[in-house]
Amino acid sequence: MKFIFNNYFMTITLLGLVKSGVIYGQDINIKIGFRDSIKSGILHENRKILIHLPDDYDTSKKSYPVLYLLDGTINLLLQTKADMIRLHNRENISDMIIVGIENIDRNRDMMPVSTKSFTVPIPGAEKFLTYIRDELIPYIEKKYRTNEQRILCGKSLSGLFTLYTFLTKPKLFNAYIGCSAGWLGDMNDYFVTLTDKAFQNPDQYKGKKIFMANSLIDENDPDHTIHRQMLEFSEKVKTKLGDRVIYKYVTYENYGHVPYPSFYDGIKFILKAH
């Protein structure tokens, strides 16, 4: 079952991004995408997804990359579409299929481990990643014209999940974007061990593109613990993976948690880097 959704207030904002001049008070109705769902045998849940197809999808015969957005919401899909319009206008970057993965139990699904600082009854990241690999991706690639180029994007806690996916299933996606990515201090032993184990097989990362970003004034990282851990992680990427990957870690000084430009900068880096 699927249905088209519209968002009048936010779409006026979107239109303002792509057209110059004054917008008056008339109603504006722009189709951004539609909602679909998958009955997951792995998660034993009906999982809702939001899908945006490129404007020329119905008239072209092209196949498209797919951007998988964690924490999928209508507003996030709208913001992502607006950024894609700017990227097309400024950088000549083409549109892509966007799949927003809606949350049911975010903490459960994004967390691979439970700690004192972030306790979850049953960490479910491994099972959630299996759902993405075995049910969601096959569903999308069977139903739509994809070119099997996949990008995973997460922010904050789903940025942690993006790193977890990169370390445990590096071949599943071609590129990874983490906005306010990293892990808390008492998760460091877990992620260091995971990183060291993953990087023992560096060739599995060949050709991957990774963009990670954090804020230096993040209220969730006041002592820069997460930032320092990401610097250490970045150094391991450099020394262990080398030129097998295209990697960038960016920090922002003028934006707080989940820096506003980080998605735009990440997509630009991923799609233009060679």
Side-chain angles (χ1 to χ4, degrees), residues 202-214:
D203 287 340
Q204 65 182 331
Y205 289 94
K206 190 173 182 179
K208 303 303 177 185
K209 299 178 181 180
I210 310 101
F211 179 93
M212 297 291 157
N214 272 311

Side-chain angles (χ1 to χ4, degrees), residues 103-144:
N103 290 322
I104 291 180
D105 187 335
R106 184 176 189 253
N107 292 353
R108 176 202 66 189
D109 289 343
M110 302 302 163
M111 286 291 290
V113 63
S114 181
T115 65
K116 288 184 178 179
S117 65
F118 204 114
T119 302
V120 290
I122 303 176
E126 182 178 3
K127 185 177 286 189
F128 186 60
L129 182 53
T130 302
Y131 153 73
I132 292 174
R133 181 192 66 189
D134 293 350
E135 294 181 328
L136 177 59
I137 290 175
Y139 178 82
I140 295 298
E141 294 189 350
K142 181 179 180 181
K143 193 167 185 179
Y144 302 102

